[in-house]
Amino acid sequence: AVVSTQSTGRIMSSAVYAAKKLLRRQLKLNLKAMSESDKANQNSIIAAKVLGSERYLSSENICVYVSMPEEVCTHAIITNVLKERKTLFVPYFNKDEMVMVKIRDEADYNALPFDTYGVRQPTDYLEREHAINTTGLDLILCPGLGFTTAGLRIGRGKGYYDNYLAKYASVWGKNPYTMALAYSVQIVDEVPTTENDERLDEIISIF
């Protein structure tokens, strides 16, 4: 029997989707099993690694995700970006897309309202500067559920970061440096991928 290329593509895509679903479930269990003291310890180590890295020190326009409880905490990094008078951008999400919007200072950040997930998000995102059409970005700190040491990433399935990076590259001709922050339980040997999945430049963990 002859199997068309289109049919083969659908079968492969379906297999990758199923594999990602299983991996996401396992990674969520891994994160749920972490103690608060282990998280706090790893948060401190990872933040120190980021803040001491040459890439961070040499970057001016930086996007930092605002962490949820199960993600590596970014509060110390956000505070440092503002203290060092670098330019801070944070993600704004809606059901269709993600944009990176400018935060003016610490008071501005602290005044941001919390969304339904308990994450600070600017509701006035339309009036704020967007990185993609103003200064651009030198560095993006990315969250995710799991990563390989080679830079493959699995997120929560919405495609926000993959889509943003593809759009950014179409405007600027290249992507900013991408750095993921990962607890030890989020590092895996393999991540199932498709051609739409972006590889990250660096994974920062406790290792």
Side-chain angles (χ1 to χ4, degrees):
V2 177
V3 180
S4 72
T5 305
Q6 193 172 12
S7 296
T8 304
R10 279 199 298 269
I11 292 167
M12 288 179 65
S13 179
S14 177
V16 169
Y17 176 82
K20 282 187 173 186
K21 190 173 180 180
L22 281 172
L23 182 56
R24 285 191 182 101
R25 186 181 303 159
Q26 184 58 55
L27 288 164
K28 286 176 182 178
L29 290 172
N30 292 353
L31 287 165
K32 195 173 181 181
M34 285 185 74
S35 68
E36 289 304 312
S37 61
D38 189 15
K39 280 186 183 179
N41 182 51
Q42 293 198 40
N43 284 337
S44 296
I45 294 169
I46 293 167
K49 279 190 170 186
V50 172
L51 297 179
S53 70
E54 183 56 41
R55 181 65 61 169
Y56 173 79
L57 294 170
S58 64
S59 294
E60 181 55 39
N61 300 301
I62 303 174
C63 181
V64 185
Y65 69 90
V66 182
S67 50
M68 295 192 289
E70 67 272 22
E71 294 172 336
V72 172
C73 181
T74 55
H75 180 72
I77 298 169
I78 286 171
T79 301
N80 188 267
V81 172
L82 294 169
K83 178 186 168 191
E84 295 299 321
R85 300 196 180 280
K86 297 175 183 284
T87 304
L88 174 68
F89 292 86
V90 300
Y92 169 82
F93 304 86
N94 59 34
K95 61 184 176 62
D96 299 316
E97 65 172 346
M98 175 179 75
V99 294
M100 309 305 197
V101 298
K102 184 177 177 179
I103 303 299
R104 293 181 292 274
D105 51 34
E106 195 165 359
D108 184 28
Y109 173 73
N110 290 331
L112 295 178
F114 291 97
D115 65 11
T116 53
Y117 299 101
V119 175
R120 292 185 185 275
Q121 273 220 102
T123 51
D124 59 344
Y125 72 100
L126 289 174
E127 287 106 55
R128 290 177 181 266
E129 285 184 29
H130 291 204
I132 204 165
N133 52 26
T134 54
T135 60
L137 290 165
D138 301 311
L139 174 64
I140 297 182
L141 299 190
C142 306
L145 278 175
F147 311 89
T148 69
T149 55
L152 296 178
R153 169 186 176 272
I154 183 168
R156 297 175 182 276
K158 301 290 188 183
Y160 284 127
Y161 278 85
D162 292 320
N163 292 337
Y164 183 83
L165 289 170
K167 184 178 179 182
Y168 187 99
S170 73
V171 173
W172 287 82
K174 63 176 183 177
N175 271 326
Y177 193 84
T178 49
M179 185 184 282
L181 311 186
Y183 290 125
S184 57
V185 298
Q186 295 180 278
I187 304 296
V188 295
D189 292 331
E190 293 181 42
V191 166
T193 59
T194 68
E195 66 275 7
N196 295 323
D197 294 316
E198 296 276 350
R199 187 184 289 266
L200 305 179
D201 294 307
E202 187 175 358
I203 312 298
I204 302 289
S205 189
I206 60 170
F207 304 119

Short mmCIF file of all heavy atoms in Angstrom, two decimals, residues 181-207:
data_model
loop_
_atom_site.label_atom_id
_atom_site.label_comp_id
_atom_site.label_asym_id
_atom_site.label_seq_id
_atom_site.Cartn_x
_atom_site.Cartn_y
_atom_site.Cartn_z
N LEU A 181 14.65 29.02 32.36
CA LEU A 181 14.96 28.76 33.76
C LEU A 181 14.23 27.48 34.16
O LEU A 181 13.02 27.36 33.98
CB LEU A 181 14.49 29.92 34.65
CG LEU A 181 14.91 31.33 34.20
CD1 LEU A 181 14.49 32.36 35.24
CD2 LEU A 181 16.40 31.40 33.92
N ALA A 182 14.97 26.50 34.69
CA ALA A 182 14.40 25.18 34.93
C ALA A 182 14.81 24.59 36.27
O ALA A 182 15.98 24.59 36.63
CB ALA A 182 14.82 24.22 33.81
N TYR A 183 13.80 24.06 36.99
CA TYR A 183 14.11 23.24 38.15
C TYR A 183 14.74 21.93 37.66
O TYR A 183 14.54 21.53 36.52
CB TYR A 183 12.83 22.92 38.93
CG TYR A 183 12.22 24.09 39.65
CD1 TYR A 183 10.88 24.45 39.42
CD2 TYR A 183 12.93 24.83 40.58
CE1 TYR A 183 10.30 25.52 40.09
CE2 TYR A 183 12.36 25.91 41.25
CZ TYR A 183 11.04 26.25 41.00
OH TYR A 183 10.48 27.31 41.66
N SER A 184 15.46 21.26 38.54
CA SER A 184 16.14 20.02 38.15
C SER A 184 15.16 18.97 37.62
O SER A 184 15.49 18.21 36.71
CB SER A 184 16.93 19.46 39.34
OG SER A 184 16.07 19.25 40.46
N VAL A 185 13.94 18.92 38.19
CA VAL A 185 12.95 17.91 37.75
C VAL A 185 12.37 18.23 36.38
O VAL A 185 11.62 17.42 35.82
CB VAL A 185 11.80 17.77 38.78
CG1 VAL A 185 12.33 17.29 40.12
CG2 VAL A 185 11.02 19.08 38.93
N GLN A 186 12.70 19.39 35.83
CA GLN A 186 12.20 19.77 34.50
C GLN A 186 13.17 19.43 33.38
O GLN A 186 12.85 19.61 32.21
CB GLN A 186 11.89 21.27 34.46
CG GLN A 186 10.74 21.69 35.38
CD GLN A 186 10.49 23.19 35.30
OE1 GLN A 186 11.17 23.98 35.94
NE2 GLN A 186 9.52 23.57 34.49
N ILE A 187 14.36 18.96 33.74
CA ILE A 187 15.34 18.58 32.72
C ILE A 187 15.11 17.12 32.32
O ILE A 187 15.11 16.23 33.17
CB ILE A 187 16.78 18.75 33.25
CG1 ILE A 187 17.02 20.19 33.74
CG2 ILE A 187 17.79 18.37 32.18
CD1 ILE A 187 16.93 21.24 32.66
N VAL A 188 14.88 16.90 31.04
CA VAL A 188 14.58 15.56 30.53
C VAL A 188 15.55 15.22 29.39
O VAL A 188 16.23 16.09 28.85
CB VAL A 188 13.12 15.45 30.03
CG1 VAL A 188 12.15 15.62 31.19
CG2 VAL A 188 12.83 16.49 28.95
N ASP A 189 15.61 13.95 29.06
CA ASP A 189 16.53 13.50 28.00
C ASP A 189 16.03 13.88 26.61
O ASP A 189 16.82 14.20 25.72
CB ASP A 189 16.73 11.98 28.07
CG ASP A 189 17.49 11.56 29.32
OD1 ASP A 189 18.30 12.37 29.81
OD2 ASP A 189 17.24 10.45 29.82
N GLU A 190 14.70 13.81 26.41
CA GLU A 190 14.14 14.08 25.10
C GLU A 190 12.84 14.86 25.21
O GLU A 190 12.10 14.69 26.18
CB GLU A 190 13.84 12.76 24.36
CG GLU A 190 15.06 11.96 23.97
CD GLU A 190 14.68 10.68 23.24
OE1 GLU A 190 13.77 10.74 22.38
OE2 GLU A 190 15.27 9.64 23.53
N VAL A 191 12.58 15.70 24.23
CA VAL A 191 11.30 16.40 24.09
C VAL A 191 10.80 16.17 22.67
O VAL A 191 11.53 16.45 21.71
CB VAL A 191 11.45 17.92 24.36
CG1 VAL A 191 10.21 18.68 23.89
CG2 VAL A 191 11.69 18.19 25.83
N PRO A 192 9.59 15.61 22.51
CA PRO A 192 9.06 15.44 21.15
C PRO A 192 8.79 16.80 20.53
O PRO A 192 8.24 17.69 21.19
CB PRO A 192 7.75 14.66 21.37
CG PRO A 192 7.40 14.89 22.81
CD PRO A 192 8.67 15.13 23.55
N THR A 193 9.19 16.99 19.28
CA THR A 193 9.07 18.30 18.64
C THR A 193 8.49 18.21 17.24
O THR A 193 8.52 17.15 16.61
CB THR A 193 10.43 19.01 18.56
OG1 THR A 193 11.33 18.18 17.81
CG2 THR A 193 11.01 19.27 19.93
N THR A 194 7.99 19.35 16.76
CA THR A 194 7.60 19.52 15.37
C THR A 194 8.44 20.65 14.79
O THR A 194 9.22 21.28 15.51
CB THR A 194 6.10 19.88 15.23
OG1 THR A 194 5.89 21.19 15.77
CG2 THR A 194 5.22 18.89 16.00
N GLU A 195 8.25 20.93 13.52
CA GLU A 195 9.05 21.99 12.87
C GLU A 195 8.72 23.38 13.42
O GLU A 195 9.46 24.34 13.20
CB GLU A 195 8.85 21.97 11.35
CG GLU A 195 7.46 22.31 10.87
CD GLU A 195 6.51 21.11 10.86
OE1 GLU A 195 6.89 20.03 11.35
OE2 GLU A 195 5.38 21.27 10.36
N ASN A 196 7.60 23.51 14.14
CA ASN A 196 7.20 24.81 14.68
C ASN A 196 7.83 25.09 16.05
O ASN A 196 7.71 26.20 16.56
CB ASN A 196 5.68 24.90 14.81
CG ASN A 196 5.00 24.85 13.46
OD1 ASN A 196 5.50 25.40 12.48
ND2 ASN A 196 3.85 24.18 13.39
N ASP A 197 8.47 24.11 16.66
CA ASP A 197 9.04 24.28 17.99
C ASP A 197 10.41 24.93 17.90
O ASP A 197 11.30 24.43 17.22
CB ASP A 197 9.15 22.93 18.70
CG ASP A 197 7.79 22.31 19.00
OD1 ASP A 197 6.91 23.06 19.47
OD2 ASP A 197 7.61 21.11 18.77
N GLU A 198 10.57 26.04 18.61
CA GLU A 198 11.82 26.79 18.60
C GLU A 198 12.81 26.21 19.61
O GLU A 198 12.45 25.88 20.74
CB GLU A 198 11.57 28.26 18.94
CG GLU A 198 10.70 29.01 17.94
CD GLU A 198 11.51 29.53 16.76
OE1 GLU A 198 12.75 29.48 16.82
OE2 GLU A 198 10.89 30.00 15.79
N ARG A 199 14.07 26.09 19.22
CA ARG A 199 15.13 25.65 20.14
C ARG A 199 15.67 26.87 20.88
O ARG A 199 15.94 27.91 20.27
CB ARG A 199 16.24 24.97 19.35
CG ARG A 199 17.31 24.32 20.24
CD ARG A 199 18.43 23.75 19.39
NE ARG A 199 17.99 22.58 18.65
CZ ARG A 199 18.15 21.32 19.05
NH1 ARG A 199 18.72 21.07 20.21
NH2 ARG A 199 17.74 20.32 18.30
N LEU A 200 15.85 26.74 22.18
CA LEU A 200 16.35 27.85 22.99
C LEU A 200 17.89 27.84 23.02
O LEU A 200 18.52 26.81 22.81
CB LEU A 200 15.80 27.76 24.41
CG LEU A 200 14.27 27.70 24.52
CD1 LEU A 200 13.83 27.58 25.97
CD2 LEU A 200 13.62 28.92 23.87
N ASP A 201 18.46 29.01 23.31
CA ASP A 201 19.92 29.13 23.29
C ASP A 201 20.59 28.56 24.53
O ASP A 201 21.72 28.07 24.46
CB ASP A 201 20.33 30.61 23.14
CG ASP A 201 19.92 31.17 21.79
OD1 ASP A 201 20.28 30.55 20.77
OD2 ASP A 201 19.24 32.21 21.75
N GLU A 202 19.90 28.65 25.68
CA GLU A 202 20.56 28.23 26.93
C GLU A 202 19.52 27.85 27.97
O GLU A 202 18.45 28.46 28.05
CB GLU A 202 21.42 29.38 27.46
CG GLU A 202 22.28 29.04 28.65
CD GLU A 202 23.20 30.19 29.06
OE1 GLU A 202 23.18 31.24 28.40
OE2 GLU A 202 23.91 30.02 30.07
N ILE A 203 19.83 26.82 28.75
CA ILE A 203 18.98 26.39 29.86
C ILE A 203 19.76 26.62 31.15
O ILE A 203 20.88 26.13 31.31
CB ILE A 203 18.61 24.89 29.77
CG1 ILE A 203 18.12 24.51 28.36
CG2 ILE A 203 17.59 24.52 30.83
CD1 ILE A 203 16.87 25.23 27.90
N ILE A 204 19.16 27.37 32.07
CA ILE A 204 19.79 27.65 33.35
C ILE A 204 19.09 26.81 34.43
O ILE A 204 17.90 26.95 34.66
CB ILE A 204 19.70 29.13 33.74
CG1 ILE A 204 20.34 30.02 32.69
CG2 ILE A 204 20.35 29.36 35.11
CD1 ILE A 204 21.83 29.96 32.61
N SER A 205 19.85 25.91 35.05
CA SER A 205 19.33 25.09 36.13
C SER A 205 20.38 25.06 37.24
O SER A 205 21.33 25.84 37.23
CB SER A 205 19.00 23.68 35.61
OG SER A 205 18.31 22.94 36.59
N ILE A 206 20.21 24.15 38.21
CA ILE A 206 21.16 24.13 39.32
C ILE A 206 22.42 23.34 38.98
O ILE A 206 23.40 23.38 39.71
CB ILE A 206 20.52 23.53 40.59
CG1 ILE A 206 20.06 22.09 40.37
CG2 ILE A 206 19.39 24.42 41.09
CD1 ILE A 206 19.65 21.37 41.63
N PHE A 207 22.42 22.63 37.86
CA PHE A 207 23.56 21.78 37.51
C PHE A 207 24.72 22.61 36.96
O PHE A 207 24.51 23.62 36.32
CB PHE A 207 23.14 20.73 36.47
CG PHE A 207 21.99 19.89 36.93
CD1 PHE A 207 20.79 19.88 36.22
CD2 PHE A 207 22.08 19.12 38.08
CE1 PHE A 207 19.72 19.10 36.65
CE2 PHE A 207 21.02 18.34 38.50
CZ PHE A 207 19.84 18.34 37.79
#
